[in-house]
Amino acid sequence: MSEGSKSNILRDRPEEERKHRIIGSRWVDKVILLNTLFDFVTSESDHFVTLEKTPYVSGFDSELVSTSLAPVHYRPLHQRFYWATKDLDGYKDGEDTRPEIRIQRKLGTGRWKQTLKLSRQSDPQKGVGKTIVRQEYEREVNGFRIDFRLFPKEAEQAARSVFGDKPLKPVICMQGQGIPILYHPCGRADILFEIKFDKGKGFSFDGEQCEVVEVEIELKENLDGAAVEEIEALLDESDAALYKNFPDQLAPCIESKPAALFSHLKTRRKENPNTFGEAFDALPDDRWVMQNSLSFGR
């Protein structure tokens, strides 16, 4: 079946989420705190009503309920590769488009998925500086490459309006692991949030590194069409529950994971555009794949 068929459509949806970075001087300290936050969320039952808690076990055998496990999925380690043009279109001074195009290996398939994230028009009803709102598109693609043609026309046009037809290369590799938990905030059966505990490290093609240890809260389902104000209020309650129990250990964040590395590349390009351009030109399209060939099973 061809790449353009419906079989390669993974997801098209809006993304609404809150991010909170873990504060700490050392990587290990931040990860320890992340694990403590995880324990808190799985044990708290007033706001973080996870799927195994009352009333979601109503009607189940009591012995089965007493021995059931929390609905936690430890995702495998992953690597995501972010692509950009030589001019870092969308990330230069004065630009606020901030599109992201990345690619990730689909484990066990021998294929890849490419993800395009586009900032959506600001909603005046949204809490400014709190909720990150983006449109997300995912498609399968053969090989380690980017193909805008696989996205819907409106998404392709939006991407090309920023990147044009300039060559794209993978300039950043983000490695990490996420632990997601689904919960009904305050027991609202019609609304489903996901809270994800992320730990990761990032690497730019010129050797810069960054650490990312954070908590993300994302709207997953709004079955009865609750108003924007209701969703925002529930997100506020989730935030408040975390900050009440972990004061001075969390910081709100509205940046994506590779933002610090893109900022580094932007600074390097501005300081010496010729040197940056030469380094970009010398970057092989498959540099990350070859470097990580063992982890990709090749």
Side-chain angles (χ1 to χ4, degrees):
M1 189 173 292
S2 67
E3 286 180 357
S5 67
K6 292 184 178 181
S7 64
N8 74 354
I9 299 177
L10 301 175
R11 178 169 58 180
D12 289 345
R13 67 176 181 85
E15 178 186 64
E16 301 180 35
E17 65 180 9
R18 300 274 180 96
K19 284 176 175 278
H20 305 281
R21 291 277 168 88
I22 304 295
I23 298 173
S25 58
R26 298 185 306 160
W27 164 262
V28 64
D29 295 331
K30 289 185 279 189
V31 171
I32 289 172
L33 179 55
L34 188 74
N35 293 337
T36 303
L37 275 160
F38 169 81
D39 291 337
F40 164 72
V41 167
T42 55
S43 62
E44 200 271 354
S45 57
D46 292 328
H47 178 77
F48 296 101
V49 183
T50 55
L51 298 187
E52 86 282 6
K53 296 175 182 176
T54 306
Y56 306 102
V57 297
S58 177
F60 284 83
D61 178 82
S62 59
E63 241 182 354
L64 173 63
V65 170
S66 67
T67 58
S68 63
L69 299 175
V72 176
H73 303 282
Y74 288 81
R75 294 176 178 170
L77 291 172
H78 62 257
Q79 296 188 100
R80 293 171 176 168
F81 306 97
Y82 291 78
W83 298 58
T85 67
K86 184 194 297 188
D87 294 327
L88 298 177
D89 294 291
Y91 290 92
K92 293 181 293 187
D93 291 339
E95 293 185 349
D96 194 30
T97 47
R98 304 288 172 174
E100 286 182 358
I101 182 71
R102 73 182 190 218
I103 195 167
Q104 179 178 348
R105 180 75 176 267
K106 290 190 67 183
L107 295 179
T109 67
R111 294 174 65 86
W112 298 79
K113 70 174 180 180
Q114 60 178 11
T115 301
L116 173 67
K117 291 190 177 184
L118 299 168
S119 298
R120 292 169 62 191
Q121 186 69 28
S122 297
D123 188 332
Q125 300 183 82
K126 290 286 182 184
V128 177
K130 292 182 179 180
T131 306
I132 303 171
V133 181
R134 296 187 293 184
Q135 186 68 27
E136 180 175 293
Y137 301 91
E138 289 185 350
R139 293 293 187 276
E140 285 189 358
V141 61
N142 281 330
F144 188 76
R145 63 190 181 92
I146 298 296
D147 190 345
F148 290 145
R149 296 171 301 175
L150 298 178
F151 293 121
K153 280 297 180 184
E154 67 275 11
E156 178 186 358
Q157 291 170 359
R160 292 193 187 281
S161 69
V162 177
F163 299 116
D165 292 319
K166 298 177 184 178
L168 290 162
K169 289 190 176 183
V171 296
I172 289 174
C173 170
M174 297 297 299
Q175 300 178 346
Q177 183 178 37
I179 305 172
I181 299 176
L182 295 171
Y183 71 97
H184 293 275
C186 298
R188 287 282 300 267
D190 59 319
I191 296 174
L192 187 66
F193 286 172
E194 177 187 80
I195 182 168
K196 186 153 61 76
F197 303 85
D198 280 329
K199 51 187 173 184
K201 294 188 177 184
F203 309 88
S204 64
F205 77 96
D206 65 341
E208 186 74 6
Q209 299 184 24
C210 74
E211 297 178 352
V212 178
V213 185
E214 64 185 24
V215 177
E216 292 183 357
I217 303 174
E218 182 177 352
L219 172 66
K220 287 294 184 181
E221 284 187 351
N222 181 6
L223 297 179
D224 294 335
V228 168
E229 294 83 359
E230 289 183 80
I231 299 298
E232 288 294 304
L234 289 168
L235 287 170
D236 286 341
E237 288 194 45
S238 293
D239 291 353
L242 295 177
Y243 280 82
K244 178 182 178 181
N245 289 273
F246 299 91
D248 305 320
Q249 295 171 302
L250 293 165
C253 175
I254 58 172
E255 293 182 331
S256 63
K257 290 180 177 64
L261 292 178
F262 272 117
S263 178
H264 157 74
L265 293 177
K266 182 180 71 173
T267 299
R268 182 180 173 188
R269 179 188 176 276
K270 184 177 181 180
E271 291 175 347
N272 197 326
N274 290 333
T275 300
F276 180 84
E278 291 171 358
F280 183 92
D281 289 339
L283 174 64
D285 291 346
D286 61 353
R287 182 251 184 175
W288 297 105
V289 181
M290 297 302 295
Q291 180 175 313
N292 298 285
S293 59
L294 290 179
S295 64
F296 283 105
R298 298 180 67 177

